Amino acid sequence: MKIIIVGGVAGGATAAARIRRNDEAAEIVLVERGHYISFANCGLPYHISGTIAEREQLLVTSESTFKDRYRVDVRSRTEAIAIDRKTKVVRLRDLASGDEYDESYDKLLLSPGAEPIRPKLPGIDSARVFGLRNIPDLDRIMSHLDQNSVRRAVVIGGGFIGIEVAENLNDKGISTTLVEGTDQILAPLDYEMAAIVHSHMRDKNVELYLSDRVDQFEDKDDHTVVYLASGRRLQADIIVLAIGVRPETTLARGAALEIGATGGIKVNDHLQTSDSDIYAVGDAIEITQTISGKPALIPLAGPANRQGRMAADNIIFGNTKQYKGTLGTAILKAFDLAAASTGLNEKQLRAADVPFLSCVTHSGSHASYYPGAKQVSIKLLFSPDGQILGAQAVGADGVDKRLDVIATAIYGGLNVEDLTDLELAYAPPFGSAKDPVNMAGYVASNILNHSHELIDWRELRDTLEIKDAKLQLIDVRTAEEFEFGSIPTARNIDVNQLREHLDELDPEQPLVLFCQVGIRGYIAYRILKQHGFTQIRNLSGGYKTYSWAVDKQSNPDIFDYEDLKRRDPAEIEADISGSCEVSAALIAPESSGELHTLDAIGLQCPGPIMKTYKAMNALDAGELLEVTASDPAFGRDIRAWAKKTGNDLLSVKAEKGLVIVLLRKTAPAPVAETTAPAVRDKLTLVVFSDDLDKVMASMIIANGALAMGKPVSLFFTFWGLDVIRREDAPHINKPMMDRMFSTMLPSDADHLNSISKMDMHGMGAKMIRKVMHDKGVETPGNLLHSLVEGGAQLIACQMSMDVMGIKEEELIDGVEIGGVAAFLGEAGESGTTLFI
Ligand code: FAD
């Protein structure tokens, strides 16, 4: 049998090799228009930065190897220009000589790929405007970069290729701007998931224009001006166009093969075109999207390779294989993050008229207590009967395996309930006993069995915009987290105190709960549900997703194009609350003090902020602090914190999944002479109880207040004295009653053995302690220690000590002994006094 294959890269080269492995006798002619067959198109962007150092690494198989190993008649620089289906002949043109000739076939396989879209814009033929599809395109880009002093790049198109090119230009040290016509990059992701990448690009100092389009290009002597529809003008030394591809169908159309409604070559389940002797695969064909069952174009290398192999089998063995459709599983390295998706997203489900539910979870890539855990955000979309319809994942580590597990689950016909049962490999460096995939399954299953109802960020934002007075919006995070930022109009009731505040809420009115990522909101939901509240919903993905999604998405005007320097970060901050970067070396010498570093990797919010606050406290005005954190939201949080505390935020940058910020301590503002009454900005807490939950609440509030720069006093009385007892207290001879008390009570903060509700004879405290440990929450002992270190005033109530027979030697260092006068004195100076 004689087989001609048109297109010698992903689908075509795969098919040629497979045909030979199936049939030693087949005559195989592989026709490729370009210079190279089987090159790594997916690797092209990474040569720009030098990540793939050698150009030759991109040439996966050479023509001669292919000829020697597979005995395939490879004809590169040869274009198939026409097919005569009646005589079964393909007309070929030798592009070197211009000669044309006919080649007959028994079977023909088309794998001509896709062609980049290149709109007819004024100035698009500029020598500074490039595309990236093949090796010659890459060569042109590389020689332009080598031969010119390229400092400013504009990439047009926020799809996979555009982002990869932008990342690699940025990695090369070129000031890079990305322009995208819609309101988000990465169309396969839903908006709130793409927002994570937008925010990360800000930390990477990539200028981003969304909802803006290029109108024209104008060449100047040493640069090109890119005119955007918004009226902006960008100066560029290189422009890369990546606004999408369309199926390469010239040959197929010329041969009157059927073309589908999407513009791709129509094929049946066996990958045969409307002519049974002609097969087609890859980017050029219209496939059936697995979930919707509708025709679609999904130009990806995985499907092209699988189709090439399948078509080869069908050609040799006679249509033994059926192509089951394309799910669209894809992944991209978006700077330090991975962004992946499978199945359909919200927009596509709506367009296909498929009813769906969704949930967003933020989990650790592995156990939080093992170093280096990063956040994995997963959005799961599913039908009301539990069928998995799609998933998206974004994060710096572990995204690929989670997304692949879900893609495999979809392929295997598993439903969301099955995700909870998946037994996935676990050890602390790799995952969690409840893997992020299990967690997504739990949340989705709870929605389906009606034990949990979610509201997504968009519906909540829209509801708040119409100022629905009846909506009770409750932030169930700690007071300290609330203070760092919350949703406007929200009221803060810590989930741990929710039961004490039930009578302040209206069970008949709609109520929306939220916490940082959704877990505490779910616990609060269950509490309220069991207390008769009927109209409750928990915010999907918590405050984290909401704040990412409602944040400003573009990152405009960070470069001063005229003399090409980064604008003054302070000026940018003032303008847009956006990005800034300045290296420590660029800070004016007279204003730079000693540089200190702080490692906050692995800490969950608000850990990095609290640690930063303490470290800043220890500095003198003018000194610098560089903080490294793994919480991807740290960049945004630190901007708010610096604004609130008045310290200078000199830079925020992201590297290898970590956020690195540079702060400069400012001198405290001089106290203005005023006759107005002083603002009482001190916090006093009376710690009466030794219930672990109450103690934790007081420790966290006190640490939070300290972190915000407030003076804090804690007055420990009665059972609260147990918190400040030291475990290694010296032996003291005491009367029998006092001895009894001493032995029955917890020895120190880390041995508190009761909680205020669901104590279950001490089991509750053990359970909470385990959960706190698993989630990386600090112990009460550590929190107490940071209070002492942070300068909080700890007062032990003399009267209570007498009653309980506790001696001064039994208390931790740094505690003052005081009476009610001491307490009243502190309380009198305080703006807030809490009794816990
Ligand atoms: P191609 O691999 O494009 O091969 C088609 C070949 O046919 C071309 O070489 C062309 O010259 C030749 N041809 C066309 N017409 C004729 C003719 N008339 N006569 C002779 N020859 C002809 N996909 C992923 O899944 N993951 C990625 O990370 C990824 N990254 C990418 C990065 C870049 C920069 C690019 C350009 C693509 C990337 N892709 C990625 C897409 C992936 O490369 C394609 O989906 C895949 O190569 C399609 O395979 P194909 O065989 O259909 O077409």
Side-chain angles (χ1 to χ4, degrees):
M1 186 179 347
K2 181 173 176 186
I3 302 142
I4 298 181
I5 300 172
V6 178
V9 190
T14 300
R18 177 72 177 172
I19 290 171
R20 174 58 72 232
R21 288 196 297 272
N22 285 336
D23 184 354
E24 266 295 285
E27 186 183 346
I28 310 168
V29 180
L30 183 64
V31 180
E32 167 55 50
R33 185 164 54 193
H35 287 82
Y36 304 96
I37 58 156
S38 196
F39 64 89
N41 17 23
C42 309
L44 299 177
Y46 299 97
H47 185 53
I48 294 175
S49 62
T51 303
I52 295 176
E54 302 298 332
R55 175 184 181 276
E56 279 55 44
Q57 290 174 278
L58 298 166
L59 306 174
V60 181
T61 308
S62 73
E63 204 168 304
S64 58
T65 308
F66 216 71
K67 279 181 178 162
D68 293 347
R69 185 164 304 160
Y70 297 108
R71 298 299 149 105
V72 169
D73 179 357
V74 179
R75 302 192 197 165
S76 56
R77 299 285 289 130
T78 302
E79 184 171 14
I81 52 173
I83 304 167
D84 185 338
R85 289 164 51 195
K86 273 206 195 96
T87 55
K88 295 178 75 171
V89 158
V90 181
R91 183 126 193 103
L92 301 179
R93 180 184 292 145
D94 181 330
L95 294 176
S97 64
D99 295 346
E100 290 184 10
Y101 58 98
D102 288 339
E103 195 72 50
S104 66
Y105 65 85
D106 296 312
K107 299 283 177 192
L108 176 63
L109 173 65
L110 303 179
S111 188
E115 54 166 344
I117 295 171
R118 206 176 156 88
K120 294 250 164 289
L121 294 174
I124 197 161
D125 294 327
S126 158
R128 295 193 190 91
V129 177
F130 297 84
L132 183 59
R133 186 78 207 161
N134 50 35
I135 299 273
D137 288 343
L138 178 68
D139 289 343
R140 278 189 284 274
I141 292 176
M142 295 309 288
S143 77
H144 183 76
L145 293 175
D146 287 347
Q147 287 165 17
N148 298 280
S149 152
V150 173
R151 300 167 305 158
R152 306 160 286 194
V154 173
V155 178
I156 299 159
F160 281 36
I161 297 174
I163 291 173
E164 286 174 354
V165 169
E167 175 190 342
N168 283 282
L169 288 167
N170 184 58
D171 279 359
K172 209 175 161 60
I174 297 171
S175 301
T176 303
T177 300
L178 188 86
V179 181
E180 162 59 45
T182 68
D183 63 355
Q184 67 163 88
I185 58 166
L186 291 171
L189 299 188
D190 284 320
Y191 186 86
E192 70 275 30
M193 300 299 283
I196 304 174
V197 186
H198 298 161
S199 162
H200 175 62
M201 285 172 74
R202 179 178 303 171
D203 292 346
K204 292 299 278 186
N205 294 298
V206 172
E207 200 170 60
L208 174 63
Y209 294 101
L210 294 168
S211 307
D212 211 345
R213 288 169 191 278
V214 180
D215 272 351
Q216 61 165 312
F217 305 92
E218 189 190 351
D219 273 346
K220 302 278 180 192
D221 279 352
D222 65 345
H223 68 273
T224 297
V225 181
V226 182
Y227 290 80
L228 302 187
S230 61
R232 249 176 242 279
R233 293 168 184 207
L234 310 173
Q235 296 179 20
D237 304 316
I238 185 170
I239 297 146
V240 181
L241 205 60
I243 55 175
V245 293
R246 65 167 76 91
E248 171 61 84
T249 53
T250 321
L251 198 56
R253 283 177 197 272
L257 294 175
E258 198 178 337
I259 303 293
T262 60
I265 303 171
K266 213 169 170 63
V267 291
N268 65 14
D269 291 353
H270 303 297
L271 300 169
Q272 272 169 313
T273 65
S274 49
D275 180 327
S276 59
D277 288 323
I278 304 178
Y279 290 73
V281 299
D283 289 0
I285 66 167
E286 173 179 281
I287 49 77
T288 302
Q289 205 286 331
T290 321
I291 302 288
S292 67
K294 302 227 159 95
L297 298 172
I298 302 187
L300 289 170
N305 276 274
R306 285 186 289 113
Q307 291 159 9
R309 182 185 161 95
M310 187 174 284
D313 287 357
N314 285 343
I315 287 171
I316 299 300
F317 303 122
N319 290 348
T320 49
K321 300 260 171 72
Q322 272 193 324
Y323 190 67
K324 294 182 190 154
T326 304
L327 203 46
T329 307
I331 188 162
L332 156 92
K333 181 175 175 303
F335 302 87
D336 298 347
L337 298 179
S341 64
T342 187
L344 298 184
N345 63 24
E346 273 192 25
K347 278 166 284 179
Q348 294 162 328
L349 286 166
R350 278 201 195 94
D353 227 0
V354 179
F356 68 93
L357 298 160
S358 72
C359 61
V360 176
T361 46
H362 304 282
S363 313
S365 56
H366 59 248
S368 56
Y369 54 83
Y370 187 87
K374 312 265 170 58
Q375 179 183 285
V376 180
S377 302
I378 296 180
K379 177 166 182 176
L380 193 63
L381 298 119
F382 48 97
S383 70
D385 64 357
Q387 185 200 348
I388 308 168
L389 302 171
Q392 297 150 44
V394 178
D397 184 33
V399 161
D400 48 349
K401 81 168 168 174
R402 273 55 189 230
L403 204 281
D404 280 345
V405 167
I406 299 177
T408 309
I410 298 178
Y411 183 83
L414 303 186
N415 61 29
V416 290
E417 185 75 37
D418 294 317
L419 295 183
T420 67
D421 289 336
L422 290 182
E423 189 180 313
L424 301 171
Y426 161 62
F430 303 102
S432 299
K434 282 184 197 138
D435 190 86
V437 173
N438 299 134
M439 291 303 293
Y442 288 130
V443 176
S445 304
N446 285 339
I447 296 169
L448 291 178
N449 67 28
H450 306 294
S451 61
H452 190 193
E453 201 181 336
L454 292 180
I455 181 169
D456 74 6
W457 70 271
R458 199 185 293 270
E459 189 185 343
L460 178 60
R461 182 202 59 186
D462 294 349
T463 311
L464 293 174
E465 268 173 12
I466 55 171
K467 305 212 172 6
D468 181 350
K470 294 197 195 91
L471 183 72
Q472 305 172 84
L473 182 61
I474 311 296
D475 181 342
V476 298
R477 299 174 302 160
T478 62
E480 167 193 62
E481 289 169 281
F482 181 72
E483 183 132 7
F484 286 140
S486 187
I487 301 176
T489 76
R491 178 183 167 193
N492 179 221
I493 305 178
D494 188 325
V495 64
N496 297 351
Q497 274 102 50
L498 184 59
R499 294 176 183 87
E500 281 75 44
H501 293 273
L502 295 177
D503 54 355
E504 296 160 27
L505 303 173
D506 186 343
E508 306 302 329
Q509 295 298 337
L511 196 149
V512 168
L513 298 159
F514 69 94
C515 63
Q516 189 65 13
V517 295
I519 297 172
R520 284 171 289 171
Y522 169 56
I523 296 168
Y525 177 100
R526 296 303 308 155
I527 293 172
L528 293 180
K529 202 78 188 171
Q530 293 175 67
H531 281 89
F533 286 73
T534 50
Q535 302 182 56
I536 327 160
R537 285 196 287 169
N538 182 23
L539 178 60
S540 185
Y543 179 65
K544 197 160 223 168
T545 292
Y546 186 90
S547 50
W548 254 323
V550 302
D551 208 1
K552 186 179 178 65
Q553 304 293 315
S554 290
N555 184 30
D557 299 326
I558 64 167
F559 303 127
D560 180 338
Y561 283 100
E562 294 309 322
D563 55 358
L564 196 73
K565 63 175 170 36
R566 289 234 161 85
R567 290 175 58 206
D568 178 351
E571 191 192 327
I572 301 170
E573 280 298 315
D575 260 18
I576 52 161
S577 242
S579 169
C580 58
E581 182 187 18
V582 65
S583 78
L586 291 180
I587 298 163
E590 70 275 10
S591 64
S592 63
E594 198 184 335
L595 176 67
H596 303 261
T597 56
L598 174 67
D599 180 353
I601 299 170
L603 293 182
Q604 295 185 13
C605 169
I609 293 280
M610 280 167 57
K611 228 175 157 179
T612 302
Y613 167 75
K614 262 190 259 166
M616 288 291 278
N617 247 0
L619 303 188
D620 291 329
E623 289 190 315
L624 305 172
L625 180 70
E626 188 179 79
V627 189
T628 307
S630 50
D631 180 353
F634 184 59
R636 217 195 45 232
D637 291 350
I638 198 74
R639 287 184 176 97
W641 182 86
K643 211 174 224 169
K644 216 157 194 165
T645 57
N647 287 293
D648 291 338
L649 178 61
L650 300 176
S651 81
V652 179
K653 60 183 176 180
E655 265 175 32
K656 300 190 175 106
L658 301 172
V659 181
I660 302 154
V661 306
L662 186 65
L663 293 156
R664 177 170 46 209
K665 177 148 175 173
T666 48
V671 184
E673 286 201 12
T674 170
T675 50
V679 178
R680 293 180 302 170
D681 201 21
K682 179 171 178 172
L683 170 72
T684 297
L685 281 148
V686 182
V687 185
F688 169 80
S689 165
D690 65 358
D691 285 338
L692 177 59
D693 47 352
K694 292 182 177 170
V695 170
M696 282 301 292
S698 57
M699 296 286 129
I700 286 173
I701 293 170
N703 270 296
L706 267 188
M708 299 305 293
K710 288 188 185 197
V712 173
S713 290
L714 292 104
F715 190 74
F716 295 89
T717 179
F718 278 94
W719 315 112
L721 287 172
D722 293 334
V723 181
I724 47 172
R725 286 178 69 186
R726 61 161 74 222
E727 193 187 8
D728 57 348
H731 179 75
I732 299 169
N733 274 333
K734 292 184 180 178
M736 193 187 69
M737 255 330 231
D738 292 356
R739 251 198 341 266
M740 267 176 58
F741 262 128
S742 290
T743 43
M744 283 162 59
L745 291 172
S747 59
D748 67 308
D750 280 338
H751 290 85
L752 303 179
N753 53 15
S754 63
I755 53 175
S756 57
K757 297 273 151 104
M758 300 194 304
D759 184 48
M760 298 176 286
H761 303 290
M763 270 304 290
K766 285 201 178 101
M767 282 162 61
I768 283 214
R769 210 181 284 283
K770 175 167 183 335
V771 173
M772 289 189 333
H773 176 263
D774 291 349
K775 298 203 182 308
V777 177
E778 288 287 5
T779 64
N782 283 346
L783 288 170
L784 187 63
H785 189 66
S786 37
L787 282 177
V788 175
E789 276 197 337
Q793 187 181 26
L794 273 48
I795 308 171
C797 170
Q798 179 72 67
M799 181 275 296
S800 305
M801 287 174 65
D802 293 344
V803 171
M804 310 205 31
I806 294 177
K807 306 287 174 221
E808 193 172 347
E809 307 89 283
E810 294 178 81
L811 301 181
I812 61 168
D813 294 337
V815 175
E816 297 168 29
I817 313 291
V820 72
F823 160 65
L824 289 175
E826 296 307 325
E829 289 173 17
S830 298
T832 313
T833 301
L834 301 172
F835 189 93
I836 297 184

